Amino acid sequence: MCDVDILSKRESVEPTKENTMIVIIGAGLAGLSTASFLGRIPHKVFEREAMVGGLCRSHQVDGFTFDQAGHVLHCKSVGIRRFVEKLLGDGLVSHSRHSAIYSKNVLTPYPFQANLHGLPREVVRDCLFGYVAALVKGNSSLDAHFSSFKAWILGNFGEGIAEHFMVPFNEKLWKVPLEELTTEWTALVPRPELEDVINGAFGLANRDFGYNTKFFYPRSGGIQTLPFALLQRIGKVECHKEVVEVSTKSRRVQFADGSTENYEALVSTMPLPELLWRCTDLPKSLREGSKDLRWTSVYTVNLAVARKNISTQHWIYFPEKIFPFYRVGFPMNLSLSMGKKGTSSIAAEISHRPDVQISHGKLIKQTCSGLVRAGICRPDDTFIISEVQDIPYAYVIFDRARGVIVPKLLAELERRGIYSVGRYGRWEHTSMENAIQQGKDLATRLRRTMMAF
């Protein structure tokens, strides 16, 4: 791990009165939200791509709409839910989650640990005995006690659930040994009580678990409907504007087209490592610290099948290695407007390390074969559409290096007038709701600062 000594060089980075512009880099949800809540404070939004949305984008192919990986709105915050409802009006539809796990040739409801019924008896036995053994040890509530995510799994769920689902699924998703992951993000993992696990093993009705039992999705247009609605609030974004350099001393951004923009405050939603590489006047130790930040990339294989109702689920998890994908979603189950009558659409997600590339032809072939093996597709199905999207930054890896480096990086950037926000800006695992809230909170801070200035 690189030791980030950010205090070794304390250059003068005080603001000046020559410019009061706020520059926002990235027109994803965090950037657009920040702009929409800034009000009359002077600001400009710049986006590298041809359209707004960031990761929250959709595209259309021959009458089908595909999001860039799976996106649904949880809206646990009443304030954010009201804000989104105001943005989308009756274009926002509420759903009750239908998701499952496919393993041991059986489809069981999500989450695995609370719905063991239907699995082979020896698997159910292993999971129950292991869970009770972990419960007897009494460490499950002491998250900080565990040295790694793998230790946390074993301490909370026992060896059976770990072996049959938790470990293989997460190894497939993260693409790193689970001993290298910390427990900072585990609040997202459902932890049922003993009664729930026993009820699920006997097939008795269980209450819903997880943070997304209820969610919202646009009635039409895909998830990009949300950033498009935000765009209407702010009016203008300059697209095709890629940042190549940021001078933190002179507070100037340079773009690939040769243009520059001065700022008083810079809001960046680009991935944190990319921001640091572009800030050429940061201390060397600070920039080198970014080399220890890791992430997982994802391929999304989008398919359209000439057969309707191939699944009743919103998405299905696949822990076993015989399947290339870790999750398969069904966009038309979120909204029929996502496809054509009499057909079905599929979005299969396959994680990979950033330095590993797989040909699109191979990905499509493996995905179609896996879908047939799982009984979702048939050997004689006709695929109307088959395409691959590569998402370079998908999941931030929560390892020990991240916990040490990121707070220092963010603090030093802010000292220099740079606010790094959003899922990849703060280098964390956040939802769309979190991104909107972060933008709102930051805008409130900046308004107070700029008005006082």
Side-chain angles (χ1 to χ4, degrees), residues 173-175 294-298 351-352 354 391-395 397:
L173 171 63
W174 296 103
K175 294 299 182 185
R294 298 191 293 168
W295 63 93
T296 299
S297 303
V298 165
S351 64
H352 66 100
I391 305 172
Y393 293 92
Y395 293 100
I397 292 179

Side-chain angles (χ1 to χ4, degrees), residues 17 33 99 112 147 182 192 194 202 207 218 248 277 327 445:
K17 294 186 178 181
S33 175
S99 62
F112 179 92
S147 60
T182 62
L194 175 60
F202 283 95
R207 59 187 175 89
T248 68
W277 299 336
R327 181 170 62 186
R445 287 183 60 196

Side-chain angles (χ1 to χ4, degrees), residues 250-309:
S250 59
R251 301 202 175 202
R252 180 180 295 112
V253 179
Q254 181 176 336
F255 298 96
D257 61 8
S259 64
T260 62
E261 191 72 40
N262 294 326
Y263 64 86
E264 184 56 52
L266 177 67
V267 177
S268 172
T269 66
M270 70 174 69
L272 185 57
E274 294 200 13
L275 171 62
L276 294 170
W277 299 336
R278 288 163 171 78
C279 294
T280 54
D281 59 355
L282 290 177
K284 183 179 179 181
S285 59
L286 187 69
R287 297 185 74 205
E288 288 185 345
S290 68
K291 297 178 182 178
D292 291 317
L293 301 180
R294 298 191 293 168
W295 63 93
T296 299
S297 303
V298 165
Y299 289 115
T300 301
V301 180
N302 296 323
L303 303 167
V305 185
R307 180 164 57 89
K308 65 179 181 179
N309 302 330

Side-chain angles (χ1 to χ4, degrees), residues 46-122:
F46 300 94
E47 168 58 47
R48 179 178 61 180
E49 303 295 335
M51 62 184 293
V52 304
L55 192 61
C56 187
R57 290 205 310 270
S58 313
H59 72 283
Q60 288 74 40
V61 185
D62 296 335
F64 291 85
T65 300
F66 295 98
D67 294 338
Q68 193 162 344
H71 286 83
V72 296
L73 279 159
H74 308 132
C75 290
K76 298 297 183 183
S77 163
V78 174
I80 295 299
R81 187 180 74 244
R82 288 175 178 170
F83 175 68
V84 173
E85 287 174 342
K86 184 177 179 179
L87 282 175
L88 300 183
D90 61 2
L92 192 65
V93 179
S94 176
H95 291 268
S96 295
R97 183 191 67 204
H98 294 286
S99 62
I101 298 99
Y102 187 84
S103 64
K104 318 297 181 184
N105 298 317
V106 176
L107 192 69
T108 55
Y110 173 87
F112 179 92
Q113 55 269 30
N115 295 285
L116 300 170
H117 182 70
L119 291 163
R121 287 181 296 178
E122 59 272 18

